[in-house]
Each structure stands twice: as C-alpha cells, then as structure tokens.
Amino acid sequence: MEIPRTMKALRKTKPAFGAQMVEIPVPKIQPHEVLVKVHACSICGTDVSIYEWNKWAQGRIKNIPQTMGHEFTGEIVQVGAHCTRLKIGDIVSVETHIPDNYSKQTLTGQMHIAKEMKIVGVDRDGSMAEYVAIPELVAWKNDPNMPTHLASVQEPLGNAVYCTLVTPVHGQSIAIFGDGPIGLFSVAVARAAGATTIILVGLEDFRLQLAKQVGADYVINARYENPTARIMEITQGDGVDIVSEMSGSPVAMEQCFEVVRRGGFLRMFGIFKDKVNVDINDHIIFKGITIHGINGRLMFDTWFTVSNLLKSGRLNIEPLITHKLPFEDYEEGFHLMLETPKKCSKVVLYMDREKMK
Amino acid sequence: MEIPRTMKALRKTKPAFGAQMVEIPVPKIQPHEVLVKVHACSICGTDVSIYEWNKWAQGRIKNIPQTMGHEFTGEIVQVGAHCTRLKIGDIVSVETHIPDNYSKQTLTGQMHIAKEMKIVGVDRDGSMAEYVAIPELVAWKNDPNMPTHLASVQEPLGNAVYCTLVTPVHGQSIAIFGDGPIGLFSVAVARAAGATTIILVGLEDFRLQLAKQVGADYVINARYENPTARIMEITQGDGVDIVSEMSGSPVAMEQCFEVVRRGGFLRMFGIFKDKVNVDINDHIIFKGITIHGINGRLMFDTWFTVSNLLKSGRLNIEPLITHKLPFEDYEEGFHLMLETPKKCSKVVLYMDREKMK
Amino acid sequence: MEIPRTMKALRKTKPAFGAQMVEIPVPKIQPHEVLVKVHACSICGTDVSIYEWNKWAQGRIKNIPQTMGHEFTGEIVQVGAHCTRLKIGDIVSVETHIPDNYSKQTLTGQMHIAKEMKIVGVDRDGSMAEYVAIPELVAWKNDPNMPTHLASVQEPLGNAVYCTLVTPVHGQSIAIFGDGPIGLFSVAVARAAGATTIILVGLEDFRLQLAKQVGADYVINARYENPTARIMEITQGDGVDIVSEMSGSPVAMEQCFEVVRRGGFLRMFGIFKDKVNVDINDHIIFKGITIHGINGRLMFDTWFTVSNLLKSGRLNIEPLITHKLPFEDYEEGFHLMLETPKKCSKVVLYMDREKMK
Amino acid sequence: MEIPRTMKALRKTKPAFGAQMVEIPVPKIQPHEVLVKVHACSICGTDVSIYEWNKWAQGRIKNIPQTMGHEFTGEIVQVGAHCTRLKIGDIVSVETHIPDNYSKQTLTGQMHIAKEMKIVGVDRDGSMAEYVAIPELVAWKNDPNMPTHLASVQEPLGNAVYCTLVTPVHGQSIAIFGDGPIGLFSVAVARAAGATTIILVGLEDFRLQLAKQVGADYVINARYENPTARIMEITQGDGVDIVSEMSGSPVAMEQCFEVVRRGGFLRMFGIFKDKVNVDINDHIIFKGITIHGINGRLMFDTWFTVSNLLKSGRLNIEPLITHKLPFEDYEEGFHLMLETPKKCSKVVLYMDREKMK
C-alpha cells in the first residue's frame, strides 16, 4: 500500500476551545514503531476535555499543536526495523499507555501504571488522523473479522472490563455510579460475567434506558431519587457487594461509600475536580472494605478478556455505540458529547468511509 | 403443623443391591437440630452407588439400616432448644457436610473439608424420607418462592459452582470432561459467569445435546472423536485456560492434562476407581499449572452464589432436571440413572406431591 | 475451682474522666458462654479513650456502669450448657468481636465485620475484672505454656498481624505510620514475615528506639524530619510497596498517599477525629493502588498466625511490653498511656499476681 | 574494555560423559543482545545431567558442541544496537528462560512458561565460558556491591523463592522434601519469610546439618526414619500447611500427599524419572488441596524478591555455598556434585579469579 506524504489530522493548534482539521505530513516511524492507517477513532471523554480546553486539559497538555485521539483501529502499513511481532496488513487496536521499560511496575505486570508513562493523544500525536505512528509494544492484533466500530472501542471497553472484573462479579450485586460510556459498558460487562444484581445510577434518562437494554436490573436517576435509599431497599439493608465510582461526582462518591456492604469492594475510576472529603473511619475501616484505584487496563490480560468477550458474542454493547460519523463531521461528534449527553453514548468517527456500515 | 409418629423412608436395609421403602418413627431432634418436612429430594450419584452397593459403598457405608439421600428441600416443622437462627415455617435446603467445630479447617473458612466430617445420607440418616433431622448449622434458608425442583438441586449445583468458579472464568476458555449432572450444571454455570469458549466432553449424545441447550459452544463425544485433537484445533494449538475433570476416567484425566494450556488451571472433581498414573514433569511442572482438588462447596460463600444465580434467572438449568417423579416411583428414578444415562440427567423425587408442577 | 460471689472490677460508673475499682457480683453465664478467671488484661487505646471519656467514647459507650477492658487471658472456670468445644481449666484469650450468626459476613469468612457486632468492654462488660463471661465462640484456647503477658496481648497483636500481612510482605518495602503499640507490633511482624525494608514513622524517640529494637531498618521522627522526603530518598524515588496508616493523623494520611508506590498497597487502620480530604485522582486512581480498611482480626485465621508466630519464637515483641503492673495500680497504667507515651508502649495489668514474673 | 577474539569455554563436544575446556571465538551479539564477561558460574543439577549425559540429557540436548552453564554473573562489555535498558559496565545476572514475544503466556505475566521457550545452556550456548551473549530482556541488573558468589546463585535461589512463596508462608508449617541445593535454599527462604514450623526431609546428614544451620526446625533423614509418621507426630496429626516436593522421588511424592493437611498447599518442583501413580481421590479431592507446578521463576517479580532478600541480609544462604573453585577445576566441581553430595551443596566456578575472596 502506497503511503502518501501528507494526511488529514484533527489537531489542537491553540490553547482554546475546539480543534482544527489540517493537512500535515504523515508521521515517520522509529525503529520500534509501526505506522497504522486509521480506519476509525472513537471519541473519549479525555478528547472532549482537550477539545473543550477545560482546566484539566490546560494543566496536562504540554505540546501544541498536537493531533488528538487514541481510541482507534486500523491497518499496519509500515513496520520499523526493530519490530519483531507484527507485519504489514495486520489490523490492530492500540493500548494507549506507552510504558517505560525499566521500572518495577513494567517488570512486574503493572506496565499500565509504569512510573514514566506516555499517553497517545495526550503526550504525543494521536489517532484522529489518517495515519498514526505507535510503538509495536502497545499494538494489539485484532481478528480481521471484527467490525470496525467494535474494534475501535476496545480501549475504553478495556477500562470497563478491568474496573468491573478486578475482583470476580459472578453471583455478586454491583452498583455502578455514572452513566457515561464506561459506566454503560460496565453494565454490559457485569451482565456478561454473571453479576446477579446490577444497578446503574445516572442522571440522563436516555442513558439509563441504554443501561436497561444492556443488562441493568435497576436504574436510578439521581436527579429524582435518592440512590442510597433506593439501593439499601433493593439490597434489604445489606448494601451491595461491589461498587464502581465512574462519575467523578463527590456526591456520588459519598453514596458509593454508603451503599457498599461491610467487607465489600469499591472501585474508583471517575476523575474528580477537587479533593474529596472522606469518612475513613466509618466508610473504610469499620466497614472493612477494599478499594481499587483503576486506571487504564492490564497489559495485556484485559485485552484478551475484551477480545474474547467480543468474539464470543456474550457482550452486548451494540446499543451503546450510538453514533457513527465520517471524520469530517467531527464537530457534530464533539457537540453531541459536550452538549447533548442526553442523546448519545459512544461516538465513532470514520477516517475510512468504506468501513462505515 | 402436627408431626406424625411415623413416616415413610427409603432405606438401605441390607448389604445388597436396592433399597426398601419402610415405615419408621419420625426422627427425634437434638437441641442443635431442626426437623424438616421434606418436599423433594433429588438423586445423587452417591445415592446410586449406595443403591447399587458398589465397591465404594461397601467400604464407606458403616450403618445399616440407614435412610438414603441428601439433596433436598423442605419446611422446618420443629426447632431444637439451642437453635438461634431458624424458625418453624422456614423453607430450607441443606449443606450435606456436617463439620466438626474445632479443627483448623473449620476455624479458617474451610469448614467443608473439616478434619472430622459427617455426611448426611452417608454417615447418618438421610433425606429420602418424609422427615429428616439436621443440625441448624448446615441448613440454608431459601427464598420461599424458589421452585421446589430448583431448591432441591442446590447442593449438587453448588459442586458445579464451586468447581467451575474456584478461579474466575470470565473471558476464559474452559473444557469440562464428564457429561453427568455436575458436568452439565458446570456448563450452565460457566456460561452464566462469562466463559467465552465452553467445551463439554462426554459419552452420551442425549447429554451432549443438553449441554448445547445450556450453553456449550462445542460438545465432543469421546466415543467418536479424539478430545485432545479436537480441543487443540479449537484453541489453535494453545490449549484451554481451564479444565474441569468430572468423569473419574483415567483416559479423560490424561486428556485433561494434555489440553490445559501452559499456566492454566485444572480442577479435579471426578472420583476414580484406582490410582492414576500422572506425568508430573510434562503435565504439571513444565506447564506450570495450578490444580484444585474440589470437594463439596464453600460454606457458605458457594450457597450465596448458587442462590443468587438461581434467583436472578441468569442460570439456565431447567433442561437439566429431566425427570420429576413421586417418591413412590423411586425404583424408576434409580433405574433411569443406573441403566439409561442416555435418557436422563437430574431426577427429582417428590415426598410432597403438591409440590410437583 | 470455687467461684466467689463477688469480685473486683474496674468500671466506668459515670460519664466523666476516670474509672472506679468496685466490688460487684461475679457474672452469670448464658448457656453458650464460659466464665473466665482473668489472669491479666492489657490496656488498649480504646480503654484509654473510655477512661479519658473523649468525644468518641461519649458517642459510643451506651451502658454505664460497665466494666472496662478486652485484651486479656485467663482460665475457664465454668462452661455453659450449650458449649461444645472448651472445658474447665483451658487457658484462653479472647477475640473481642462477638459476631451475629446470620449475616452474609458471618456466613462467608468475614465474621470480624459482621453486620451486627458486639464488642467486649464496649458494648458489654469487659475483662478488667477478676472474672468475665464470654461466648464460647470467641474464646481462643492457648498453649498453657504461653507466658501470661504474651497471651494477654494476642488480641492487639492480631490487629498488627492482620493489617501487616493482609497482602504478603516478603521481599517488600513497608512504611508504618504511627508509633503506638500496634504500629510497633507491626514492625516486629513485618520483620518476622520477611519485609526487606521496614520504615517506622512516629513522634516519640522512646518508641522509635523500640521500633529499631524489634526490626525497623529506618525510623523517622516526623517532628524533626519530613517523612515523605526521607522515604522517597530511601526508596530512590520509587516509594514503598506497602504503607500502613496507624496514626489517625490527617497529615500522616497525606504522607502515606505520597509515599506509596504506583501499584502499591495501603492499609488504613488508624482512627481519625474527622473526615479527611483525599486527592482521589492523583493518590488512588492514577497510582493504581489498592486500599484495605482494617478492623479487628480474621476469625480465626489471624489467631493461628499470631499463636504460631509467638510459639515459634520468630516474633520479637518482648521489648514492646514495657510495663507490668498489679491490677490495683491501674491509675498508673492509664496515666502512663495518657500522659507519657514517651515512656511506654504496652502496659499489662495483672489480676493474678502470681502470673507476674 | 577490550574484547579478545577467543575465549575459554567448557563445552559438551560429544554425546558421552564429561565436558571439554576448549578455546573458541567470543560470541557475536545480535542487535537485541548484550555480551557479558562472566565473573562466576555456579553448577546446576541440569549441568550435572548434561555432564553425566543421562537419559534426560540425551533426549533434551539437540546441539553438540554447545557451551554449558546458565547460573552466572558478570559485567556487560558490549551492547547490541536495539538494546534500550542496559549499558556497558553494568553487573548482571541472567534469567535463563528466554521467552517468545507473542504467546498469551508472555503477554499476561507468565513469560517464564512462554509457549516457545529457549533455555541458556540447554538450547543455546551457555555461561561456562569467559564470555556469553544473552538477550537484554533476560538480563537482571545487580547492585554492583553484591558479592559474586551470591550474585551467581540468584537464578537457582529464584527457584526456591518462587516455589516456597507462591502462596504466603508466614505463620504456616512447611515440609520440604529433598536436600539438594534448591531444597536447602527453600529452608532459608521459608525462615526469612516467617514460616513457623520448617521441616526438611532428605537423605544426607551433611545436608541435613546445613538445613539446620539455615533455619530448619526439624530435619528428617528418610533413610532412618519414616517421614510421614514423624511429620504427623510433629503436627499432632493435622499434617502441614504447605509441602514442597523437591526430590523427584516417587516415594517422597507419596509422603508429600500423606502429610499435606486438608485444605493445604502442595508445590511440585522435583523432576521424576517416570510417571507417578497418584491417589487422586484421597490425596487431592477429598483433602481439597491446591497444587502448584513450579518451573523457573516469575519474570521479574521473583528477581525483585531474591535481590531484596539478599540485599537486606535477611536471607542466610552463605553456609549453602560450600565450594568456590577456579574455572579450571571444573572437574572437581562436577565430581563433588556427582559423587559426593554428602559433602557439598552449591559449587561456584570462577572465570575471574580476582572475584574469589
């Protein structure tokens, strides 16, 4: 396949709201990298933060101009000289976290939280472009038959899989706080893995309906109902075995602590604007709970689980990919996520129109 | 509820094939026991061994005459003076293993393999009778709405749940060797808990069809096909992540070792007639596998999982309860299991005809 | 052994500072209880809070008058009718947490955090008395040769064992914040279990010296040195694998979060006066840490470990039992703990003077 | 440092007993490899098998001539073009298992049992030479202050650490069957990690005395005493919590099964001449034990533990390194291990005489 000299890329070119579609050179790869022709790239909350240029983005993004995006799939069109595993023509998705190669984390199965970590689309050029260069190490080879929209969301689905299944859920009750895409993916994952009471707490009826479609036994709109009271009623006063905080809301965090049962498990995934006031005595110590801080995905245990769940057809996430747009319509995609979360969950942009169904 | 003085009981009265339906006194309870009016009792392979009076039964059964049976559900009609948890009218199923109260096992969450253990229907009178006395400790309180046939099979279902889920199966491939009731239950459990490739190896087409109905992705009749070759083909030469040996066949045991992948998990549940020759070097050490010997169920973690899986409707075991018979037709029940495994899986006997649907 | 009608007991008789030594009837036991003639009882921080009548005690203690104390050892002199395991003459120590007998926690190996829990010396009469009645369930039979002062501190030592070893420490670095008796016990436990870098952070030089005696590789007096800076230096910028918060100080809590390495473990044991402000993003999520809320001890896994560590002589805690006083000198004991933590660690009161060495 | 053109190497040059010291070219490194100037190399049982040319060696060794050896330490003198982590002058030891880079094992933290694995000194030229080429991936950077003899035995010590600590040993009883170097190392490791009853079963009094020196509470010479009877006596009839089979003797294997307690753990490490007859019913299933097949070491969790245990001085293995010989005296080294195990444990050959103390 011939590689052109230039390509379209959606870039953050100035420290302000929005992004620009520009023509730039196709990236040159390093010897340990591969060049991927991007088929599709879905929009992450992180992308929305960068687009919107919120406080977090202002503090975190060091390089401007920089190409956005990191949830993608595409085909390898060039392979660096030191690469040993992949070849031209392979269809890949990509683990966003590029680990160091020397820290204790990397050397002991915690590569995803390596001490020095670079993130695609945050610390270096991302995948909202026709081509992207990535280290071979973080490329995950897909089954070529996997539909493009599913392949492109494996990275965020991996967040949901890692977070939901960090301890087993079979036969357990689980409450998920947050109706964003990862919260909704988590409902589907919990369902596929045998959780027997699944509760989703959110704010948008549109999204709560999606949760029901993919397996929630109960949905609670926190605007209209007190989640703690409702969950204690559902669980007959015992609380739930497992709680996932996926909203980043301090109010939800407090409710999570209230509803997790004595001896239960709490996963923390949602990012907060500020520090949170925690009742360590009553909510952590006397309850004897275990808390897992969740970030990224296990490299590559989680990818095997994601891939197997999708291939087996056990995982019902189709209803959660609410919009498929051509790359050019990126403004509509970001607008959907910024302004009308009432109407969308996951939005996929297609760099290759032929891959749109 | 008035308790009669005598009752019908199916007893082993002599050391020979068969059992006798006799009228005997209703048991007197000890202060730490409850008296249960039995609604239904399903037939276990152990019961069949005792009925048939095979070599194992001859060596194991010390008391004759003794009432048979241990997989049951019923209503509490009398409560001993030292009991503190249950009351008359509670519907219960029963954990068959009556632990000691002093061993390290009992004091550290391994009650089910306590050093000195008595088994209902093996070491003391069982539940193939209108009434049975059991220690309050081993009674599990059921949701009164649970259908009788499901309530009665919770004990053997617990074997399948404990064995299958002793390490998590979500996203994993699993091969189950043995198409008896526990093997088939295990298929349903693996499906409910998110295993993504489920293979059942057996000998009876009738039972392999049941396996498909409850979730097997592949079934292999070992009479006609080489399980090792087929499984290595299915797994593209890698082997399966998890194997459960549930047949008690040395040939199957060897195949289990062959198909478990390097670093995989092997559960051993099926009982063998003799010692088995094992290639410890190639099959255990060089493969780096982990083996779990499985016996009974966790008391009471497994019971929570069983009960939640049934209540949630996630677990599809209805097709596996192939026969419901009135207590009087016990000979037909045992005949089905002894002579025509081609035509049955789990057989339930009803002491209370009104509970038959 | 003849049981007298009355006995000496140290009781909280009014809602104010202090406690009173009074003569009261020897308790009558319930059928599931045993009566213990107390040999010795050590003073817990909880006892000090009750004695001092601080805010926590005012909110928590419901019954006045009530006998204080719960860390003790003694001899069984009477056994209730329903008891099955212990007999007169057995030397016991006691698990302070009296669990319910029906909750999911109790039925699944989490008895120590049962939903409804009563604590000896907090919710019912305690062991700072010549006799105490306790449920047989929570009595732990000691080796009769165990020295009295060691037998009496097994309960708090169990806190240190459970907290320190909730995940394995062999080959790990561990930082313990808090130089109270449990913090110091934890140093000895970490040393016995193979932690390879042990750091104790405290405020009192006397106690830091004790920490060195029982195995700390580094001690840091937080009055004079910044623990975060020092620990990051010791660990060459990586942070420690495991941190135990045992001080209840919000400043220490923040330092714990700072020094735990990415992917590390944090145990929370110390009780705080108020809620604590936590940077969930940077300190829990992005670091990917696991937090265990620790309360009590596992029933009875921890007791086996405690007892084995003491019997084997691997555990060096002798230097931590700084004072042995006759029961009558209780005021001196409480004074030591309240006023001069610079001079004491664990204080043991002897109800039986012959057991003092 | 100037690299010569040729070097001394101890090679297997023909399919017969013995090995030859020859002068051969210094190896050329691949781009992903480093060249190590060997300081010292200890003799492994595997080396002895190859030297002796026993049945296993005849079936396993494919390439002759080939340089022997794999337990070593040395200094990096050349670094391949694709290497990223190490530099000239680094002192390294080496993980012997060279994994593939694509299998599920390699991608999920089980690199040490990767599907396609090459072993230094077995599948390719080893380290009984003045120089050896190895992939950067398997080099472990040592603290330059670590004594050479300790650095050189980290690989076999890693076997003992992985095997002994695959589940925690603190507060546990452990019986180790086999008094070879790994068995003896395991005693020291169990002691350092807080096992409270340590039993070593062997055949040579010299080695049993070494076991006592490094921490065994009991040693049993199976020539003169029945290990099962003695261990059941020591454990008052309960059996031990953990058993490590490190002898490769079928008699010992049977005893291991006899003495492991119900619910206990069994590690299998010793290699057998033939298949072993196992009573799966009574010894695995009814006892409810967990078996770990142990091979190699975790890459690189075990290396961190090994290195930390050595650095901290907690691990007492000095008495186990019984002989330090110059490289030229290799015949004496092999002779010691082949003929007089009564007089040796670990033997270290020095390629660099200045490193001998």
Side-chain angles (χ1 to χ4, degrees), chain B residues 80-340:
Chain B
H82 299 182
C83 295
T84 57
R85 189 166 51 92
L86 297 172
K87 57 180 202 310
I88 290 174
D90 285 347
I91 305 298
V92 294
S93 290
V94 168
E95 168 52 51
T96 305
H97 292 79
I98 304 176
D100 59 51
N101 70 350
Y102 62 89
S103 69
K104 182 166 184 179
Q105 287 77 19
T106 294
L107 292 171
T108 60
Q110 298 182 313
M111 222 183 249
H112 68 297
I113 44 172
K115 211 173 141 198
E116 298 196 15
M117 168 85 73
K118 302 298 172 201
I119 299 181
V120 177
V122 170
D123 295 304
R124 55 184 276 163
D125 280 336
S127 58
M128 288 189 175
E130 290 176 297
Y131 293 88
V132 61
I134 49 146
E136 185 193 34
L137 176 68
V138 295
W140 175 261
K141 190 174 165 181
N142 288 327
D143 183 326
N145 299 317
M146 183 178 283
T148 298
H149 62 292
L150 296 182
S152 77
V153 300
Q154 286 184 98
E155 199 256 13
L157 180 53
N159 285 136
V161 163
Y162 177 32
C163 189
T164 307
L165 305 181
V166 67
T167 62
V169 301
H170 53 249
Q172 304 282 294
S173 53
I174 182 168
I176 297 156
F177 283 72
D179 58 9
I182 311 294
L184 296 176
F185 279 153
S186 295
V187 169
V189 169
R191 182 64 178 241
T196 45
T197 302
I198 301 172
I199 303 166
L200 194 277
V201 180
L203 296 171
E204 303 296 343
D205 284 335
F206 173 78
R207 292 179 163 192
L208 297 179
Q209 286 310 309
L210 289 177
K212 278 197 168 172
Q213 274 181 262
V214 300
D217 297 295
Y218 304 90
V219 296
I220 299 172
N221 190 325
R223 291 193 209 274
Y224 312 122
E225 213 175 353
N226 180 298
T228 298
R230 182 81 178 95
I231 290 173
M232 294 315 273
E233 181 197 323
I234 292 167
T235 59
Q236 297 174 288
D238 285 334
V240 288
D241 298 310
I242 299 168
V243 177
S244 290
E245 203 307 297
M246 302 193 133
S247 74
S249 147
V251 174
M253 184 75 263
E254 180 79 4
Q255 293 162 346
C256 288
F257 279 120
E258 288 166 357
V259 303
V260 66
R261 73 160 169 86
R262 297 172 79 84
F265 292 90
L266 174 60
R267 292 87 152 99
M268 291 183 173
F269 178 83
I271 302 302
F272 295 86
K273 288 221 178 91
D274 297 294
K275 288 191 174 189
V276 177
N277 228 11
V278 177
D279 181 347
I280 293 179
N281 299 0
D282 283 349
H283 283 159
I284 299 179
I285 295 174
F286 293 135
K287 274 193 164 179
I289 65 168
T290 302
I291 301 173
H292 290 92
I294 299 291
N295 182 23
R297 293 143 299 275
L298 293 180
M299 297 169 65
F300 288 89
D301 309 66
T302 306
W303 283 89
F304 280 97
T305 306
V306 166
S307 153
N308 289 341
L309 284 171
L310 287 174
K311 259 188 287 187
S312 66
R314 310 287 206 254
L315 192 65
N316 176 23
I317 60 164
E318 285 288 353
L320 304 180
I321 298 169
T322 52
H323 295 79
K324 300 177 183 183
L325 302 171
F327 188 21
E328 291 71 23
D329 296 352
Y330 69 90
E331 283 188 326
E332 182 184 343
F334 279 95
H335 179 81
L336 275 163
M337 295 198 56
L338 267 168
E339 307 294 329
T340 52

Side-chain angles (χ1 to χ4, degrees), chain D residues 10-206:
Chain D
L10 184 63
R11 310 198 95 198
K12 196 78 191 174
T13 58
K14 45 197 174 201
F17 183 93
Q20 289 68 44
M21 184 76 85
V22 293
E23 191 81 15
I24 57 169
V26 167
K28 303 276 178 235
I29 57 173
Q30 302 288 322
H32 65 289
E33 293 181 339
V34 294
L35 185 69
V36 181
K37 181 173 189 309
V38 181
H39 290 162
C41 180
S42 43
I43 304 179
C44 175
T46 300
D47 299 319
V48 176
S49 294
I50 297 170
Y51 189 90
E52 185 183 18
W53 203 240
N54 68 12
K55 198 178 145 194
W56 172 85
Q58 292 170 35
R60 181 70 176 80
I61 302 300
K62 308 295 178 196
N63 313 311
I64 287 184
Q66 186 175 271
T67 305
M68 297 179 63
H70 60 273
E71 302 179 357
F72 71 104
T73 185
E75 181 178 351
I76 294 184
V77 292
Q78 203 177 21
V79 174
H82 298 183
C83 295
T84 57
R85 189 165 52 90
L86 297 171
K87 58 182 200 311
I88 290 175
D90 286 346
I91 305 298
V92 295
S93 288
V94 168
E95 168 53 53
T96 305
H97 292 79
I98 304 176
D100 59 51
N101 70 349
Y102 62 89
S103 69
K104 182 167 184 180
Q105 286 77 17
T106 295
L107 292 171
T108 61
Q110 300 182 312
M111 221 182 250
H112 67 299
I113 44 171
K115 212 174 141 197
E116 299 196 13
M117 169 84 73
K118 302 299 172 199
I119 299 181
V120 176
V122 171
D123 297 303
R124 55 184 276 163
D125 280 335
S127 57
M128 289 188 175
E130 292 177 295
Y131 293 87
V132 61
I134 48 146
E136 184 193 34
L137 175 68
V138 296
W140 175 261
K141 189 175 164 181
N142 289 327
D143 183 327
N145 297 318
M146 182 178 284
T148 298
H149 63 292
L150 296 182
S152 77
V153 300
Q154 286 184 97
E155 201 256 15
L157 180 54
N159 285 137
V161 163
Y162 177 31
C163 189
T164 306
L165 305 181
V166 66
T167 62
V169 301
H170 53 250
Q172 305 281 294
S173 53
I174 182 168
I176 297 157
F177 282 73
D179 57 10
I182 312 294
L184 296 177
F185 279 153
S186 295
V187 169
V189 170
R191 182 65 178 240
T196 45
T197 302
I198 302 172
I199 303 166
L200 194 277
V201 180
L203 296 171
E204 303 297 342
D205 285 335
F206 173 78

Side-chain angles (χ1 to χ4, degrees), chain A residues 81-82 84-85 101-104 107-109 136 140 299-301 304 308, chain D residues 81-82 84-85 101-104 107-109 136 140 299-301 304 308:
Chain A
H82 299 182
T84 57
R85 188 166 52 90
N101 69 349
Y102 62 89
S103 69
K104 182 165 184 181
L107 292 170
T108 61
E136 185 192 33
W140 175 260
M299 296 168 66
F300 287 89
D301 309 66
F304 280 97
N308 289 341
Chain D
H82 298 183
T84 57
R85 189 165 52 90
N101 70 349
Y102 62 89
S103 69
K104 182 167 184 180
L107 292 171
T108 61
E136 184 193 34
W140 175 261
M299 296 167 66
F300 286 89
D301 309 65
F304 280 98
N308 289 340

